[in-house]
Amino acid sequence: MRPLTFTLFLGFALAQTPLGPVPTRDVHALLWHPSGALLLGHHDGIVAWSNSTPQDLVRRRDWDAMNLAWGGERLIAAGHWILAESRDLKRFRDLRPKGLPALDLHAYAIDPRKPEVHYTLEATYGYFRSQDGGQTWAKLPARGLPKAGMAFFLVDQKGRLWASLMERGLFLSEDGGESFRPIPSPDPAPGPLALSPSGTLYLGGKLGLWRRTEAGWRRIWQGAVLALTAHPQEEGWLAWVDERGTLWQGR
């Protein structure tokens, strides 16, 4: 049995279990699938971690799954010249959307209330929104949102779009990506975002793992967080990857 460790910060205790080293040369994305499997997007595909055993879903050189998004019935993988879907985690079909001038996709998110609404950041051409499940796209003005090389998107249960820009800070849109306003970030290099079933927002960054409360952000784990996800049904269950490439699970 792997040991449990505890981290205590400002009144929050997080019981954490290291699941093991990530069996890839890097990791870009982490998603807790409704089946219970943890899906890791990396530079050469996707790994499913279930019952402490990693298994390749996709293993292709430079098939860079920078983003994994769940739309209720299908998984979307988006990254460097990658945009694909799978409904069974076995077969992946390349998508050929209209309106995206290129497919170097550095951020991707799906609205949990309206799974036909998707958002993405194309590295060269900027921010886009789809209202038909990713088939066609339109460029967003994204007023107030700086140009970014690396970003993380999340749509919360109110339909608000959060954008975490590692170089520029944390931003929020309440009008479908038309405009954004800055949100104070607890971390100098904000990174991946996650949302619990009740709507609690979590943020990973250079300095740790943070939980958003009515009183402000509270750090619940110390250490750099490269990828982060929350359990889709169990409140408070998180999984993340640290800078050493270790996959953790905690509550």
Side-chain angles (χ1 to χ4, degrees):
M1 177 181 292
R2 292 186 176 89
L4 282 174
T5 59
F6 291 85
T7 301
L8 183 62
F9 284 107
L10 301 177
F12 288 91
L14 184 69
Q16 57 205 264
T17 304
L19 300 182
V22 173
T24 62
R25 60 188 171 115
D26 57 15
V27 60
H28 290 310
L30 187 60
L31 175 73
W32 214 322
H33 189 265
S35 68
L38 286 167
L39 307 183
L40 293 86
H42 61 99
H43 204 81
D44 301 312
I46 303 172
V47 168
W49 194 294
S50 181
N51 298 321
S52 301
T53 303
Q55 178 183 0
D56 286 326
L57 298 184
V58 179
R59 173 70 70 167
R60 301 181 205 167
R61 185 74 176 178
D62 294 329
W63 199 89
D64 193 350
M66 292 183 67
N67 307 276
L68 298 174
W70 179 248
E73 296 182 351
R74 60 179 180 149
L75 174 70
I76 299 291
H80 289 307
W81 310 104
I82 297 296
L83 183 58
E85 68 170 3
S86 177
R87 296 181 182 272
D88 58 7
L89 302 187
K90 296 177 182 178
R91 295 174 294 274
F92 283 80
R93 182 176 72 91
D94 290 335
L95 300 177
R96 304 187 184 281
K98 298 178 181 179
L100 280 178
L103 289 178
D104 192 5
L105 307 178
H106 283 201
Y108 203 101
I110 298 174
D111 189 331
R113 307 171 313 148
K114 301 177 180 179
E116 69 276 10
V117 177
H118 296 202
Y119 298 92
T120 194
L121 164 62
E122 206 290 319
T124 301
Y125 296 96
Y127 303 98
F128 290 79
R129 178 179 62 203
S130 171
Q131 301 191 71
D132 59 6
Q135 297 181 66
T136 58
W137 296 81
K139 197 171 191 314
L140 282 169
R143 294 181 296 274
L145 191 60
K147 184 176 176 58
M150 185 64 183
F152 299 89
F153 284 172
L154 180 142
V155 185
D156 66 20
Q157 294 162 331
K158 297 180 180 179
R160 302 179 299 179
L161 174 60
W162 295 80
S164 177
L165 312 185
M166 295 182 70
E167 306 94 342
R168 308 299 293 270
L170 190 62
F171 298 82
L172 176 65
S173 173
E174 299 180 273
D175 57 7
E178 297 288 328
S179 62
F180 288 80
R181 59 183 173 90
I183 298 293
S185 170
D187 201 286
L193 297 155
L195 194 70
S196 79
S198 72
T200 298
L201 185 67
Y202 296 89
L203 171 71
K206 181 180 180 180
L207 300 183
L209 176 55
W210 306 83
R211 177 183 178 185
R212 194 165 190 254
T213 72
E214 292 184 358
W217 293 96
R218 294 291 182 265
R219 186 164 59 179
I220 57 175
W221 187 81
Q222 185 172 16
V225 176
L226 304 182
L228 173 66
T229 188
H231 196 287
Q233 290 98 27
E234 297 292 333
E235 184 67 26
W237 270 109
L238 303 172
W240 65 97
V241 177
D242 69 15
E243 62 183 339
R244 296 181 179 179
T246 300
L247 176 62
W248 293 82
Q249 191 178 90
R251 189 172 188 172

Short mmCIF file of all heavy atoms in Angstrom, two decimals, residues 9 67 70 81 94 120 128 132 165 177 235:
data_model
loop_
_atom_site.label_atom_id
_atom_site.label_comp_id
_atom_site.label_asym_id
_atom_site.label_seq_id
_atom_site.Cartn_x
_atom_site.Cartn_y
_atom_site.Cartn_z
N PHE A 9 -2.37 23.65 5.31
CA PHE A 9 -2.12 25.05 5.02
C PHE A 9 -3.37 25.84 5.37
O PHE A 9 -4.45 25.58 4.85
CB PHE A 9 -1.80 25.29 3.54
CG PHE A 9 -0.42 24.88 3.14
CD1 PHE A 9 -0.21 23.75 2.38
CD2 PHE A 9 0.67 25.63 3.53
CE1 PHE A 9 1.06 23.38 2.00
CE2 PHE A 9 1.95 25.27 3.15
CZ PHE A 9 2.14 24.14 2.39
N ASN A 67 -4.56 19.10 -24.51
CA ASN A 67 -5.83 19.34 -23.81
C ASN A 67 -6.74 18.13 -23.95
O ASN A 67 -6.82 17.53 -25.02
CB ASN A 67 -6.54 20.55 -24.42
CG ASN A 67 -5.67 21.77 -24.51
OD1 ASN A 67 -5.54 22.52 -23.55
ND2 ASN A 67 -5.04 21.99 -25.67
N TRP A 70 -14.08 16.71 -21.77
CA TRP A 70 -15.18 15.75 -21.79
C TRP A 70 -16.48 16.49 -22.04
O TRP A 70 -16.82 17.44 -21.34
CB TRP A 70 -15.24 14.98 -20.46
CG TRP A 70 -16.35 13.98 -20.40
CD1 TRP A 70 -17.46 14.03 -19.61
CD2 TRP A 70 -16.45 12.78 -21.16
NE1 TRP A 70 -18.25 12.93 -19.82
CE2 TRP A 70 -17.66 12.14 -20.77
CE3 TRP A 70 -15.67 12.17 -22.13
CZ2 TRP A 70 -18.08 10.93 -21.32
CZ3 TRP A 70 -16.08 10.96 -22.67
CH2 TRP A 70 -17.28 10.35 -22.27
N TRP A 81 -1.46 20.56 -33.62
CA TRP A 81 -1.94 19.99 -34.87
C TRP A 81 -2.76 18.73 -34.65
O TRP A 81 -2.79 17.84 -35.49
CB TRP A 81 -0.78 19.76 -35.85
CG TRP A 81 0.05 20.99 -35.95
CD1 TRP A 81 1.28 21.21 -35.39
CD2 TRP A 81 -0.31 22.23 -36.58
NE1 TRP A 81 1.72 22.48 -35.64
CE2 TRP A 81 0.76 23.14 -36.38
CE3 TRP A 81 -1.43 22.65 -37.31
CZ2 TRP A 81 0.74 24.43 -36.86
CZ3 TRP A 81 -1.43 23.95 -37.79
CH2 TRP A 81 -0.36 24.82 -37.58
N ASP A 94 -10.12 11.86 -36.28
CA ASP A 94 -9.68 13.23 -36.52
C ASP A 94 -10.85 14.10 -36.96
O ASP A 94 -11.66 13.69 -37.79
CB ASP A 94 -8.59 13.26 -37.59
CG ASP A 94 -7.28 12.66 -37.11
OD1 ASP A 94 -7.04 12.65 -35.89
OD2 ASP A 94 -6.49 12.18 -37.95
N THR A 120 -11.49 27.50 -27.68
CA THR A 120 -10.11 27.10 -27.90
C THR A 120 -9.23 28.32 -28.11
O THR A 120 -9.71 29.42 -28.45
CB THR A 120 -9.98 26.12 -29.09
OG1 THR A 120 -8.70 25.51 -29.06
CG2 THR A 120 -10.17 26.83 -30.42
N PHE A 128 -11.16 31.36 -30.12
CA PHE A 128 -12.30 30.98 -30.96
C PHE A 128 -13.37 30.30 -30.11
O PHE A 128 -13.09 29.72 -29.06
CB PHE A 128 -11.85 30.02 -32.07
CG PHE A 128 -10.99 30.65 -33.12
CD1 PHE A 128 -9.63 30.87 -32.90
CD2 PHE A 128 -11.53 31.05 -34.34
CE1 PHE A 128 -8.84 31.46 -33.86
CE2 PHE A 128 -10.73 31.64 -35.32
CZ PHE A 128 -9.39 31.84 -35.08
N ASP A 132 -21.56 24.52 -32.15
CA ASP A 132 -22.14 23.29 -32.69
C ASP A 132 -21.23 22.09 -32.43
O ASP A 132 -21.08 21.21 -33.27
CB ASP A 132 -22.41 23.44 -34.19
CG ASP A 132 -21.16 23.76 -35.00
OD1 ASP A 132 -20.05 23.77 -34.42
OD2 ASP A 132 -21.30 24.01 -36.21
N LEU A 165 -3.56 32.14 -17.77
CA LEU A 165 -2.45 32.39 -18.68
C LEU A 165 -1.17 32.40 -17.85
O LEU A 165 -0.95 33.31 -17.04
CB LEU A 165 -2.60 33.72 -19.41
CG LEU A 165 -3.97 34.00 -20.06
CD1 LEU A 165 -3.92 35.31 -20.84
CD2 LEU A 165 -4.40 32.86 -20.96
N GLY A 177 -16.88 34.69 -23.68
CA GLY A 177 -15.59 34.95 -24.28
C GLY A 177 -15.50 36.24 -25.07
O GLY A 177 -14.45 36.51 -25.67
N GLU A 235 -17.06 14.79 -4.38
CA GLU A 235 -16.66 16.13 -3.99
C GLU A 235 -15.30 16.12 -3.29
O GLU A 235 -15.06 15.32 -2.38
CB GLU A 235 -17.71 16.75 -3.05
CG GLU A 235 -17.43 18.18 -2.65
CD GLU A 235 -17.54 19.15 -3.82
OE1 GLU A 235 -18.28 18.85 -4.79
OE2 GLU A 235 -16.90 20.21 -3.76
#
